[in-house]
Every structure is written in C-alpha cells, then in structure tokens.
Amino acid sequence: MEDGSGFWIAAVLATFCVGASKGGMPVIAMLGVPMLTLFVAPAAAAGLLLPMYILADVYAIWLFRRDFSPRNLKILIPAAAVGILLAFLCISRVPPEIGKLIVALVGLYYLGDTLRKWLARDHAARPADVPRGLFWGALSGFTSYISHAGGPPYQAYTLPQMMPKMTFVGTQAIVFACINWMKLPPYIVAGQVTWESLQRVAMLAPVALFGAWSGQRLVRWLPERIFYGVVRAALGLLSLRLLWEVAQAWGWL
C-alpha cells in the first residue's frame, strides 16, 4: 500500500465519510472507495475501509440504541445474510461493474417511482412487508459485499415506509453493522483485510468516530423533510456516478 501524503489525506477523508454515514448522513460513505482508489487497488481500498465501517458501526449502534424498527431488523438481516452468501459464491464470476450497475438502476428506479407517486398525489406509507423485505435485503447484502454499495437497495425498501428519521437511521445502522460483520471473514480469507491494513485502522480510528459523532449531530439538527430530501438527492447523485463509472469501465466514455 502507498504511504505518501496523498494516500493519508485520502484515507482521512474516506474514513471521515464512512463515520459520517454511520452517524446518519446518507450515502456519503460511497465516496470512500473512489477516493482511495486514486492510490491503491479497489480491492485493497475496500479491505482497508471495512474495519472502519465496523468500528463506526459499533459507535453508531450505541448512538441509535433507542431508535430502530424491530420488524425491519427481523426481515432485513436474514435476507442480507443470504445475499452475502450468494455474493461470496459468485464473486469470481460477477465483475464489480455489474454490482455497481444493479445499485445504480435500483436507485434510479426508486426515484422514478417516488416522482410518479408524487405526481399522482400518492403519499401513503408502505408497511414493512416480508416479500419485498427479503428481496431488497438480499440485494443489499449482495451489493454491499461486492462494492460496499448496499445503501440504495435498503433505501428502496425503507424510504416508502416513511419512518421517523431517527428510526430510519437507527435501523440502517444496525442492519449494516450486521452486514459488515458477516462480510469480515470472507474478506480476511480473500486477503483484503490484513495485519497491515489493521495497523492503519488503529491510526485512523479517531477520525471514524469523530465522523460518526458529526453525522449524528447533523441528522438530529436537520428537519425531517429536509433530511429525506437530502437522502433522495444523494441517492440520485450516487446512482448517476455509478452509471458513469460503469460506462468508463466498459469503454463507453
């Protein structure tokens, strides 16, 4: 791995983004891997950030220990485990670009459906139902394993429920804490998490915790309507960025 000043600046920024996302700021963690890939291989970047996710997860669970939806946890966590297992079995056959393309299409589908409902004045909340939860939860685990991009499928399922913002964020924190712990053993087997990367984690840990604290404070301050507007805007920008990355990888740009 690189040890120059550029790498460490990118690592600090990426770690802060990971922490802030665990504090409740939507989708910002997705900036982490692209930042680090300027200096290290994508697999090494994902492996370096996974322990950061796990560390920030622990703090996030404590921050949101009273704000979560038990029903969603019961549906999404087992479904995500199935998705992670499928991704582990298929990882050698599925290019990372496929995972990115799936995530981008999911995000754009959700935003298009939201716009359709808004135009039709359909503002009814959808319940946390098992069939949809199993599908979106498994897809979230699958895409999270491949490219740390499980947020859009999770949001496609949970945003229509119109939960209070702190319940939405707390449920997300617990679901992805479980997903990240389940990803750790196969990442170690694949050599993406190493003793060298864990040494860097120890140095960057305070940045992750500060990011989680900052994100949580900002979420509590934001009015609920603005918060969900930010979530949807971030989801749209992320989806477009992923499409751009896929187009570049496949030589379309």
Side-chain angles (χ1 to χ4, degrees):
M1 275 191 191
E2 297 280 349
D3 282 300
S5 59
F7 165 78
W8 282 107
I9 291 171
V12 168
L13 291 173
T15 301
F16 181 83
C17 288
V18 167
S21 76
K22 295 304 177 181
M25 289 309 297
V27 203
I28 194 173
M30 284 295 299
L31 299 174
V33 171
M35 285 181 195
L36 285 177
T37 53
L38 296 173
F39 301 94
V40 298
L48 176 63
L49 286 180
L50 180 59
M52 296 298 183
Y53 278 100
I54 291 173
L55 176 64
D57 283 332
V58 174
Y59 186 42
I61 288 174
W62 182 81
L63 288 173
F64 299 108
R65 61 194 180 279
R66 298 185 182 89
D67 302 297
F68 61 90
S69 164
R71 177 166 173 78
N72 275 300
L73 296 184
K74 292 175 184 178
I75 296 171
L76 290 169
I77 292 173
V82 173
I84 290 169
L85 177 60
L86 289 174
F88 176 69
L89 295 174
C90 298
I91 190 66
S92 62
R93 303 178 182 88
V94 179
E97 289 75 23
I98 295 296
K100 291 180 179 180
L101 181 61
I102 292 171
V103 170
L105 293 177
V106 165
L108 293 176
Y109 163 78
Y110 166 75
L111 293 173
D113 189 56
T114 300
L115 178 61
R116 178 190 64 79
K117 290 178 179 177
W118 181 78
L119 292 173
R121 301 294 190 268
D122 179 7
H123 304 303
R126 298 193 66 171
D129 60 290
V130 173
R132 290 177 60 254
L134 293 178
F135 172 76
W136 290 117
L139 188 58
S140 189
F142 187 90
T143 55
S144 180
Y145 183 89
I146 291 175
S147 57
H148 286 328
Y154 168 85
Q155 290 161 4
Y157 173 64
T158 53
L159 281 173
Q161 297 176 34
M162 299 183 187
M163 291 183 279
K165 67 176 181 181
M166 301 311 292
T167 303
F168 172 85
V169 173
T171 303
Q172 177 175 268
I174 296 173
V175 167
F176 282 98
C178 294
I179 287 175
N180 289 328
W181 275 106
M182 288 187 283
K183 285 157 55 177
L184 183 58
Y187 267 56
I188 293 174
V189 171
Q192 289 177 261
V193 176
T194 64
W195 176 245
E196 182 184 5
S197 69
L198 290 177
Q199 289 177 307
R200 286 172 166 78
V201 169
M203 289 184 277
L204 293 167
V207 179
L209 297 177
F210 177 68
W213 177 84
S214 301
Q216 187 254 8
R217 298 289 293 181
L218 185 56
V219 167
R220 289 192 181 277
W221 173 77
L222 280 174
E224 195 150 308
R225 185 173 180 178
I226 294 177
F227 170 78
Y228 279 112
V230 170
V231 172
R232 293 186 177 100
L235 181 58
L237 291 172
L238 170 64
S239 299
L240 293 174
R241 176 184 174 82
L242 289 174
L243 284 178
W244 181 73
E245 290 180 4
V246 170
Q248 271 200 322
W250 288 349
W252 295 349
L253 291 177

